[in-house]
Amino acid sequence: MRARWWFCLGLLALPLAVFAQPAADNPLGMSRTDTAQAHFIYFDPLGFLAPHAVQTFKNSWEWQRARFGWTPSEPVTVLLMDWSDYGNAGAVGAPHSRIIFQVSPPSHAFETNTASERFYSTLNHELVHIVQADVASPEDAFWRGFFLGKVGASASNPETILYNYLTTPRFSAPRWYVEGTAVFMETWMGGGLGRAQGGYDEMVFRAMVRDKDPFYDPLGIESKGVRSDFQALAN
């Protein structure tokens, strides 16, 4: 619930942040750094992190362009925040590519996160989500042209779920698949060090085999498994 709360706050703050100017012109006290790959928006006390975030993002962006054959449709908007005691991040692929990044160090309890530099590992993970949503097949490109861009799903307009699927089909996959892909890629990009090979997961799997607990099938993971994991409902 905590992760969902700050993520919702970040989504509410992002429209205001897009129009942020340096503190001298903007009472919100936010600044913006633009590159060819992304727009970085942050509260001024986090300005010392901006150069590092820019370079780390660029490194991951170039690596993933080469591996996925990805031609970005637009720059990514990255909002840097410090509203939480623990680091975390979330990515949204439609209608525009956005990353909301809590810059605090992540929790290393149970070894669910690597001890490597957090900007490196987190941006590697979140940019995989951006690729999943932004990369387009010829059919995806057709529907994006028809709808004049990627369509974000809205609970108040259920028909947008279909439009979202037509324009960003890979981002509409079950959560276990979307997150599993990003965790696998972040581990590969970390030289084999990452959550795909963490000691915590091995401990859980060994205990399940010993206790003869059933392993969820894909449907079970999506419907029940996400409710049995204490780590932010991510299985």
Side-chain angles (χ1 to χ4, degrees):
M1 289 299 295
R2 185 181 193 180
R4 291 182 179 179
W5 173 244
W6 69 250
F7 187 70
C8 291
L9 288 175
L11 288 177
L12 292 173
L14 195 53
L16 294 174
V18 169
F19 299 100
Q21 300 297 325
D25 301 324
N26 180 16
L28 291 177
M30 301 185 74
S31 296
R32 173 171 171 164
T33 299
D34 293 333
T35 70
Q37 299 85 20
H39 307 302
F40 294 86
I41 301 165
Y42 45 90
F43 290 96
D44 291 337
L46 300 180
F48 73 100
L49 292 172
H52 180 57
V54 168
Q55 186 58 51
T56 307
F57 180 96
K58 181 181 179 181
N59 292 342
S60 179
W61 184 85
E62 291 179 344
W63 191 94
Q64 300 201 45
R65 278 202 65 188
R67 296 304 184 280
F68 288 109
W70 170 47
T71 301
S73 65
E74 59 183 347
V76 181
T77 299
V78 182
L79 176 61
L80 302 179
M81 303 191 305
D82 191 12
W83 293 0
S84 174
D85 293 332
Y86 297 101
N88 207 334
V92 179
H96 299 289
S97 300
R98 293 164 287 169
I99 295 175
I100 300 171
F101 193 163
Q102 288 285 351
V103 300
S104 299
S107 171
H108 294 294
F110 303 107
E111 302 181 36
T112 55
N113 284 297
T114 65
S116 61
E117 202 283 318
R118 64 185 183 275
F119 276 74
Y120 174 78
S121 58
T122 301
L123 286 173
N124 284 348
H125 179 102
E126 299 303 333
L127 266 173
V128 174
H129 291 322
I130 297 299
V131 174
Q132 289 172 317
D134 195 57
V135 69
S137 68
E139 183 177 357
D140 303 339
F142 168 80
W143 287 111
R144 291 181 189 182
F146 181 81
F147 290 112
L148 303 180
K150 295 177 289 184
V151 180
S154 170
S156 59
N157 296 283
E159 69 276 8
T160 58
I161 297 175
L162 173 61
Y163 308 152
N164 175 260
Y165 175 76
L166 292 173
T167 55
T168 58
R170 279 156 296 283
F171 206 64
S172 300
R175 183 174 182 178
W176 64 266
Y177 186 91
V178 173
E179 293 296 341
T181 304
V183 168
F184 175 84
M185 294 301 298
E186 81 176 49
T187 303
W188 182 12
M189 296 169 74
L193 178 64
R195 288 180 290 177
Q197 297 180 355
Y200 166 76
D201 301 287
E202 182 178 357
M203 175 186 70
V204 171
F205 295 152
R206 287 177 179 270
M208 291 176 66
V209 172
R210 182 199 64 189
D211 297 340
K212 296 182 172 58
D213 287 339
F215 285 84
Y216 292 112
D217 60 17
L219 178 60
I221 291 177
E222 186 67 16
S223 60
K224 180 64 177 177
V226 295
R227 293 177 174 83
S228 64
D229 188 356
F230 70 94
Q231 293 287 348
L233 304 181
N235 193 317

